Amino acid sequence: NAGVMQNPRHLVRRRGQEARLRCSPMKGHSHVYWYRQLPEEGLKFMVYLQKENIIDESGMPKERFSAEFPKEGPSILRIQQVVRGDSAAYFCASSPEAGDETQYFGPGTRLLVL
Amino acid sequence: ELKVEQNPLFLSMQEGKNYTIYCNYSTTSDRLYWYRQDPGKSLESLFVLLSNGAVKQEGRLMASLDTKARLSTLHITAAVHDLSATYFCAVDSAGGTSYGKLTFGQGTILTVHP
């Protein structure tokens, strides 16, 4: 059973470009969570999705950021018009059921905005 | 707003010694998680504590949960170099219907010296 997969692992963008981060949950997991880790800090919750639904996006910046988890294919975190402050590691986690199981984290995408 | 605080934030230990990392949180929750992160890597699940008084042990690590005191501890016994990493506690913060929205502590950077 492959773990949570994220790609790309490293992404370099210039200010103003778009970043698209992809996450494939573990097989059988229908709950996906995105977290952001700024340098030297802990992880901060961004958004929780189930297939075709955003359940909680309370941690997501109101502008430029969006997330989806379509019926087919990976979950996508999209950042439009990136700024230097978006440079961080973005982790995706998945779980089979919400709350009663631990979350399994992917390897992360490290975004660098020049 | 849920706050999760770990201490110490930095811990330098000699091999063979014992020490405890503390995790305090500010609102009621009965689900607490401990993760390990190596530099540049993802998070590895160590323990899931789901009830008051829960105690779990794996090798040289033991975690406990006191929901009344809103405190979890991660005890390290006879430290070895391989335990050097950053350790995070995380609390499920969705409230009465916990669904896996985790709030993380700042992390404790553990360095074990010979």
Side-chain angles (χ1 to χ4, degrees):
Chain A
N1 189 2
V4 178
M5 299 176 69
Q6 290 186 249
N7 68 81
R9 297 287 301 275
H10 298 273
L11 182 61
V12 179
R13 284 289 178 264
R14 296 193 180 279
R15 282 177 295 169
Q17 291 184 318
E18 178 180 288
R20 291 171 72 91
L21 288 60
R22 288 176 289 278
C23 168
S24 296
M26 287 179 71
K27 188 176 180 180
H29 289 194
S30 58
H31 300 257
V32 167
Y33 311 82
W34 285 92
Y35 294 86
R36 177 164 65 175
Q37 185 177 32
L38 295 169
E40 311 300 328
E41 292 188 13
L43 279 74
K44 297 283 194 291
F45 169 82
M46 298 182 75
V47 62
Y48 161 41
L49 310 105
Q50 293 181 28
K51 283 284 187 184
E52 299 185 279
N53 284 305
I54 297 174
I55 307 302
D56 184 337
E57 55 183 348
S58 58
M60 196 103 93
K62 294 286 185 280
E63 297 178 354
R64 302 188 297 108
F65 285 72
S66 62
E68 62 176 3
F69 189 13
K71 187 176 179 181
E72 300 290 338
S75 176
I76 307 283
L77 179 68
R78 182 180 177 208
I79 312 172
Q80 294 178 289
Q81 299 176 323
V82 295
V83 300
R84 289 217 173 108
D86 296 333
S87 295
Y90 292 83
F91 290 97
C92 164
S94 73
S95 67
E97 297 291 337
D100 286 333
E101 294 278 348
T102 194
Q103 293 181 16
Y104 296 89
F105 280 79
T109 293
R110 280 146 183 89
L111 172 65
L112 175 63
V113 179
L114 300 177
Chain B
E1 181 188 339
L2 172 62
K3 292 195 185 315
V4 180
E5 293 189 349
Q6 290 180 232
N7 76 84
L9 299 185
F10 300 92
L11 180 53
S12 181
M13 295 178 65
Q14 261 192 311
E15 279 188 332
K17 299 291 187 185
N18 305 331
Y19 211 86
T20 300
I21 299 171
Y22 297 89
C23 174
N24 289 90
Y25 53 99
S26 61
T27 63
T28 301
S29 176
D30 57 4
R31 290 184 169 89
L32 190 135
Y33 306 82
W34 283 96
Y35 287 91
R36 167 184 171 143
Q37 185 179 38
D38 291 294
K41 304 290 187 182
S42 186
L43 279 78
E44 174 192 352
S45 175
L46 294 175
F47 301 107
V48 181
L49 303 169
L50 299 177
S51 61
N52 185 40
V55 177
K56 290 194 175 179
Q57 182 162 6
E58 181 74 34
R60 300 174 189 275
L61 301 178
M62 184 173 71
S64 66
L65 177 61
D66 181 344
T67 58
K68 290 182 171 55
R70 297 178 186 168
L71 170 68
S72 179
T73 60
L74 180 67
H75 187 72
I76 302 154
T77 302
V80 293
H81 180 71
D82 286 352
L83 290 179
S84 298
T86 300
Y87 292 83
F88 290 99
C89 64
V91 175
D92 194 309
S93 53
T97 52
S98 297
Y99 56 45
K101 174 182 173 181
L102 300 184
T103 297
F104 282 80
Q106 315 96 306
T108 296
I109 299 175
L110 171 64
T111 305
V112 181
H113 298 285

